[in-house]
Amino acid sequence: MKALLLRDIRLAVRAGGGFGLGLAFFLIVVVLVPFGVGPEAAVLTRIAPGILWVAALLAALLSLDRIFALDWEDGALPLLATSPLPLEALALVKAVAHWITTGLPLTLAAPALGFLLNLEPGAYGWLLASLALGTPALSMIGTFGAALTVGLKRGGLLLSLLVLPLYVPTLIFGAEAVRRGAEGLEAGVPLMLMAGITFGALALLPFAAAAALRVNLR
Amino acid sequence: MRAMSIWEYANPKRFIATTSPLIPWVLGLSLALIGTALVWGFFFTPDDFRQGSTVKIIYLHVPSAMMAINAWIMMLVASLIWLVRRHHVSALAARAAAPVGIVMTLIALFTGAVWGQPMWGTWWVWDPRLTSFLILFLFYLGYVALWEAIEDPDTAADLTSVLCIVGSVFAVLSRYAVLFWNQGLHQGATFSLDAETNIDPVFWWPAVISMAGFVGLFVALVLVRTQTEIRARRMKALLARARRAGAGEARA
């Protein structure tokens, strides 16, 4: 498992594309928002939590189809499937690798982008906490979506259509936690509900993803 | 002789033979029920004292909203049956129900908007119920798109079944997440069996008849569409066989 995890991370970092791209996309979306809604600081402060969450979600979405596609194209996926490692563990490792290469950098970069959007000072902690707890769910759900669409030639667009509705609860609770944090309200409840979704997804979705992989490898 | 079991209908031939004579009856009965309910509701019930005649849209809005959710539940059950017992009719019925569910969702959203404009002064608000329905609509879209994208029918049936199960969990989660996110304008349920204050019996009867009609309409449409799917698949198989035979002759 560890070897596979390290291999995936190395591939993502060295083989170009996925790793920096998500971060750059995150930055660009956040920069574009003030052009769209105007530079007024009060408006930006109000919408900053939501924008940061939506942008992070879209950036995570961008690299989802790479989770299985590369292994599928070069034939490594059937090899991995016949290895002693169960497919469920494979799906979990893939999700963790995706999180380390996209979710974690996004979480760490988000506070810096918060400055650009004039985020309320009290909200930075909540932003970090909610993204750190929420992005693993995005990676895990995305891995499930990638497992569903791995055999398709133009699966990318379909993948977004399948995965985005599944992201709704995570997004709602994540952005709500930051918004309450920014307004100085109690933000623990949405944060805990979101953590519940994350851990539930991590516990159950590997089985669904493995089932989808088995069908696609048949 | 073995006792008849419901699984006999999993045989596509028997399914078609049994349902074909039923379809006109179910369809006719449901249309009669809907017609009765609409005529009764539109012309023979009084206007609501606050909402005026706009109240009458509930004869379309409530049944379609109910069927939009029930269609998804039916798809979930059919998907589970496919995964457990691998009856093709079940997978095809799930596939056949999805577009009907989409249309029901759209009718509910549209009639809601038409009613909301004079009542709430807006076509759309981000109210929990409305938002949940929009999300349900997105789930339907993804499900249908996945069916369309995969060529091999068994693979498509398996993958959409898995998606339907996972999607159901997330649809329920979204429902409660949305409730947490915003408290809305939409009134509470007025058709519950156990609620203290329900809708007035004057409106209740036509609405219930209309609901029964919508259930019948849904059943009839799903039966027709399932038959179509079965025949389309059979035709594909025949064409493929003819192509193979043709190729064999050309070689010989």
Side-chain angles (χ1 to χ4, degrees), chain B:
Chain B
M1 209 183 99
R2 206 158 58 88
M4 260 302 269
S5 113
I6 185 156
W7 302 115
E8 300 277 322
Y9 299 104
N11 177 338
K13 215 169 188 176
R14 183 178 283 256
F15 176 83
I16 290 189
T18 318
T19 52
S20 289
L22 280 179
I23 287 174
W25 289 101
V26 178
L27 193 63
L29 184 69
S30 69
L31 290 180
L33 283 176
I34 294 175
T36 314
L38 291 188
V39 171
W40 183 356
F42 284 168
F43 300 109
F44 300 101
T45 56
D47 289 353
D48 185 81
F49 81 103
R50 257 183 309 165
Q51 302 176 35
S53 54
T54 59
V55 72
K56 289 173 179 176
I57 208 150
I58 63 161
Y59 307 120
L60 287 173
H61 181 68
V62 174
S64 59
M66 180 187 78
M67 286 325 295
I69 297 167
N70 289 357
W72 185 275
I73 295 172
M74 182 242 138
M75 278 157 52
L76 175 64
V77 173
S79 300
L80 284 172
I81 292 176
W82 159 253
L83 285 181
V84 176
R85 302 200 54 141
R86 308 204 75 78
H87 294 314
H88 285 91
V89 172
S90 178
L92 291 178
R95 177 180 190 165
V100 185
I102 289 187
V103 173
M104 291 292 176
T105 316
L106 281 179
I107 294 176
L109 284 173
F110 177 76
T111 51
V114 168
W115 180 86
Q117 214 289 323
M119 283 304 113
W120 296 339
T122 171
W123 298 98
W124 179 260
V125 284
W126 288 95
D127 162 278
R129 284 198 182 209
L130 278 66
T131 313
S132 309
F133 253 74
L134 200 59
I135 296 169
L136 181 66
F137 178 65
L138 298 179
F139 274 103
Y140 271 123
L141 280 188
Y143 179 85
V144 173
L146 190 61
W147 260 114
E148 295 300 323
I150 303 170
E151 272 172 33
D152 180 63
D154 280 5
T155 309
D158 279 334
L159 293 179
T160 49
S161 299
V162 174
L163 176 69
C164 185
I165 294 165
V166 173
S168 306
V169 176
F170 275 89
V172 172
L173 275 179
S174 307
R175 175 81 184 97
Y176 289 100
V178 163
L179 215 56
F180 182 86
W181 167 73
N182 189 4
Q183 300 296 325
L185 284 172
H186 198 293
Q187 58 191 301
T190 44
F191 286 92
S192 316
L193 292 173
D194 55 350
E196 292 268 319
T197 54
N198 259 335
I199 193 167
D200 192 277
V202 182
F203 303 114
W204 195 77
W205 276 110
V208 167
I209 292 172
S210 180
M211 282 189 214
F214 266 75
V215 173
L217 185 65
F218 174 74
V219 171
L221 288 176
V222 170
L223 288 180
V224 171
R225 292 185 53 86
T226 309
Q227 287 201 358
T228 314
E229 296 283 350
I230 292 172
R231 293 200 172 105
R233 183 173 292 186
R234 195 175 283 166
M235 202 163 76
K236 224 183 206 168
L238 285 175
L239 281 176
R241 196 181 301 164
R243 254 202 315 279
R244 273 200 302 277
E249 272 165 28
R251 258 202 307 277

Side-chain angles (χ1 to χ4, degrees), chain A residues 67-78 150-152 213 216-217:
Chain A
I67 293 180
F68 291 119
L70 297 177
D71 285 346
W72 173 266
E73 279 162 15
D74 64 9
L77 199 57
V150 67
L152 296 170
L213 278 180
N216 272 324
L217 287 170

Side-chain angles (χ1 to χ4, degrees), chain A residues 109-136:
Chain A
L113 298 180
F115 286 115
L116 285 179
L117 292 179
N118 204 19
L119 187 69
E120 204 73 50
Y124 284 95
W126 293 110
L127 180 68
L128 262 179
S130 74
L131 280 174
L133 277 171
T135 43

Side-chain angles (χ1 to χ4, degrees), chain A residues 53-203:
Chain A
W53 249 95
V54 171
L57 186 150
L58 292 176
L61 187 72
L62 206 61
S63 50
L64 284 182
D65 58 338
R66 302 173 63 92
I67 293 180
F68 291 119
L70 297 177
D71 285 346
W72 173 266
E73 279 162 15
D74 64 9
L77 199 57
L79 279 182
L80 287 171
T82 49
S83 74
L85 195 67
L87 269 177
E88 285 80 4
L90 172 76
L92 187 63
V93 169
K94 287 281 185 183
V96 171
H98 179 261
W99 180 72
I100 291 176
T101 51
T102 56
L104 190 61
L106 287 176
T107 307
L108 296 178
L113 298 180
F115 286 115
L116 285 179
L117 292 179
N118 204 19
L119 187 69
E120 204 73 50
Y124 284 95
W126 293 110
L127 180 68
L128 262 179
S130 74
L131 280 174
L133 277 171
T135 43
L138 301 184
S139 291
M140 191 64 242
I141 296 169
T143 304
F144 166 66
L148 277 181
T149 54
V150 67
L152 296 170
K153 278 189 199 69
R154 287 176 298 278
L157 204 58
L158 179 67
L159 177 60
S160 348
L161 187 61
L162 296 182
V163 163
L164 281 177
L166 301 177
Y167 277 175
V168 168
T170 318
L171 172 65
I172 288 179
F173 289 131
E176 185 73 18
V178 185
R179 189 160 62 221
R180 291 195 179 186
E183 288 169 8
L185 300 169
E186 223 292 298
V189 176
L191 201 63
M192 278 187 265
L193 286 168
M194 193 187 60
I197 290 176
T198 301
F199 291 124
L202 286 177

Side-chain angles (χ1 to χ4, degrees), chain A residues 5-23:
Chain A
L5 181 67
L6 290 175
R7 164 185 171 274
D8 266 21
I9 295 171
R10 250 183 242 127
L11 273 178
V13 174
R14 289 185 195 159
F19 188 56
L21 220 60
L23 271 180

